[in-house]
Amino acid sequence: KDRCPACWWSRAIKTARFARENGLDAFTTTLLASPYQDHDVLKEICEDVAERSDIKFYYKDFRPGFKEARSKARSMGIYLQNYCGCLYSEMEKIEKCPATTIL
């Protein structure tokens, strides 16, 4: 998925800018909770953005709590999408399981 790092750059830049402009100490990303993301690349991108933006990046591997958090959210009736949210991943989801798509 070559497109993902480009998206992560864009998200990290916007998030770092927002954090800096609003007087926050650091920024992070919910993508760090996903076992489906490349943490090494994501961390490298965010650390580079942090350095260029003069704001700290908070890194923590939140993946160990992923299954428990999803289970709890499901039990509470919270909506959980099964793709990152971009159009490309949504299209991939639809292609894998077209019968579940509402037209």
Side-chain angles (χ1 to χ4, degrees), residues 26-43:
F27 73 98
T28 193
T29 174
T30 59
L31 293 172
L32 295 173
S34 174
Y36 306 108
Q37 307 304 323
D38 185 330
H39 270 234
D40 293 334
V41 174
L42 183 57
K43 183 180 178 189

Side-chain angles (χ1 to χ4, degrees), residues 90 93-95 97-103:
E90 183 177 22
K93 178 189 74 129
I94 291 167
E95 288 172 3
C97 194
T100 62
T101 305
I102 299 172
L103 299 176

Side-chain angles (χ1 to χ4, degrees), residues 11-24:
R11 289 177 178 204
I13 290 167
K14 289 178 184 178
T15 305
R17 183 178 302 135
F18 178 88
R20 192 181 64 244
E21 290 173 356
N22 287 277
L24 302 173

Side-chain angles (χ1 to χ4, degrees), residues 69-81:
R70 286 185 65 85
S71 178
K72 183 164 184 142
R74 275 196 190 97
S75 72
M76 296 172 66
I78 296 173
Y79 170 73
L80 300 168
Q81 67 187 37

